[in-house]
Amino acid sequence: MKYIFLCFLPLFSFANPQENAQLFGFYTLIPPCIAILLAFITKDVILSLFMGVLSGTFLLSLASNIFHSTQITLINIYNTAVESFSKIVSYILVSASDSVNAGIILQILCIGGLVALVTKMGGAKALALNFAKKAKSALSVQINTWFLGLLIFFDDYANLLIVGPIMRPLADKFKISREKFAFIIDSTAAPVAGIAVISTWIGFEVSLIKTAYENIGISDISAFGIFLQTIPYRFYNIFMLFFVLMTAVMRREFGPMYKAELRARSTGQVAPLQKSGKIDTTEIEDQFLAPKENIKIHSFDAIVPILTLIFLSIIGFYLNGLESLKDKELEFAKNNPFSFETLRLTFGKTDSSVVLFQAALFAAIVAIFLGVKRKIFTIKEAIETWIYGWKTMILTIVLLLFAWSLSSVVKDLGTSLFITGLLADKIQEFILPALIFALASVISFAIGTSYGTMGILMPLVVPLAHTIGKDSGMDSNTLHHYMVVNISCVLTGAIFGNHCSPIADNVILSSMSGKCDHMEHVRTQIPYALFICILSLFSGYIPVSLGLSVWIVLPLNCLFIVFLLRIIGKKCE
């Protein structure tokens, strides 16, 4: 038995991640691999992340209960199993008790509460109706739907639940196929929320960046500042938004979408034929958040709270960041308080979780005051609505806690150190961003969630990019830029699956919101999503990795989209 046990020595570890990376070897890959494989098989991200964390804590517990023991007994094995479960609780508690993470959780909950209040007041619905009145043609309906999707940037769910039911009757009136309508609202949900500076997404994205940098021993960075720098490199999001607009303006489609649009325009049959086994596409609306029938809805009930959130966030970013500046930076900011460089410095140093939490809390108070004053609801009803909005964010919080825990386990096991040591000498630096984007796209499509993909990949990508960049001789500025590009690949590649996977919540929700057969929505949207995905990969990340400026890549690719749409697209009149 002892000789057999010696074969598994790489499984056992000490507290040092560097030692763990050497002792565990390829076993350090078990937790992230289990999370990815189970996500493929079960399509349940929470279960997959939980099992990933459990496998990691089991390996860590195995060392203390067996490796330091003189013999293997059932008691040791039992203690290992029990301790692995208790360690999960410890990791979750540590993640939740971190001040920054706690601020992120509160920020997400408060924004969820604010969205609920605005929806209950009818302000978001009134705002959408105002846009609907201006639609005079199929072109204007599509553009107004697209613009309204941009306007409701703060949450992808709120976007789909608001835009779909309001604009769909107009889309039917002007013979726009349900498939095309579902594509438009789907394309202005996650792709917009994923790059919005103020949204329910940003806390999760910033926290992953912060944790990943801490795992490689870098704590003196602004995760929010890095997030801002990734925005120009979020090619899939940017190109998809531009592509949607161009299909409407140029009146050109291709693939299954062209057939759907041709059917709707020529026969007036906007919805695809009913199929057995289709999902329920009846009208969806959260009855608890539906405005009361006896009130008159006004768009300013949405505009005022949202503008309050935006204004206070901008002011808060500036003031909070200003407090973090030191020496020469602070002196420069005092002498040039509103220069672009000062804004860059202050926004880069700000604690976004605290600022957004404070802004969302005050905006919610403003919304409650407006609702009570207009007798839309009582104070008690307002608080109940606000708390209900918190409840809608619970799934996000659970994902966050498990993603943070998996990241900590991966760090303790030395997984990132093992991967960087394994791949650093085998991958050329210019090809890494493209590989990461492709991997993120595949994983997100398979598991149907952006959050899960980001949580799995970010702890692995940051150390890998850092090591490869340093080994290739990059100076500090070039290395920072290189890491920003690779982080962008994780964040935007994760959007791909959320945008076109048949099991993605946003895809299902947009099918229901647009009253389109679910698989018809997926079938017509996938060619468009793949088109932008391939474009982002080959004419986006590879040229940027080879040194071409992003400010050249962006306009050139927009022109390329127009050119390709002109060549392969067919006119839909």
Side-chain angles (χ1 to χ4, degrees), residues 491-548:
L491 298 178
T492 193
I495 296 291
F496 171 80
N498 192 276
H499 184 221
C500 67
S501 173
I503 62 171
D505 48 6
N506 274 16
V507 178
I508 294 172
L509 197 57
S510 44
S511 299
M512 298 172 69
S513 185
K515 294 193 75 173
C516 177
D517 179 85
H518 180 56
M519 291 314 297
E520 285 300 306
H521 171 44
V522 173
R523 187 178 69 87
T524 53
Q525 180 164 279
I526 280 182
Y528 282 2
L530 285 174
F531 175 77
I532 298 301
C533 183
I534 293 171
L535 191 75
S536 302
L537 181 67
F538 289 103
S539 61
Y541 289 113
I542 291 179
V544 164
S545 300
L546 291 172
L548 190 62

Side-chain angles (χ1 to χ4, degrees), residues 145-154 159 163 187-188 192 241:
T145 303
W146 176 84
F147 185 71
L148 188 57
L150 298 183
L151 198 64
I152 305 178
F153 56 84
F154 46 84
N159 185 308
V163 178
S187 301
T188 53
V192 173
L241 293 173

Side-chain angles (χ1 to χ4, degrees), residues 346-384:
T346 54
F347 276 55
K349 294 285 188 179
T350 189
D351 186 344
S352 61
S353 61
V354 173
V355 172
L356 285 173
F357 166 56
Q358 293 171 338
L361 183 61
F362 192 84
I365 295 173
V366 171
I368 291 173
F369 174 79
L370 287 175
V372 172
K373 183 179 180 181
R374 294 191 56 236
K375 297 181 180 179
I376 296 175
F377 41 54
T378 64
I379 292 181
K380 181 181 178 181
E381 290 173 333
I383 294 176
E384 288 176 351

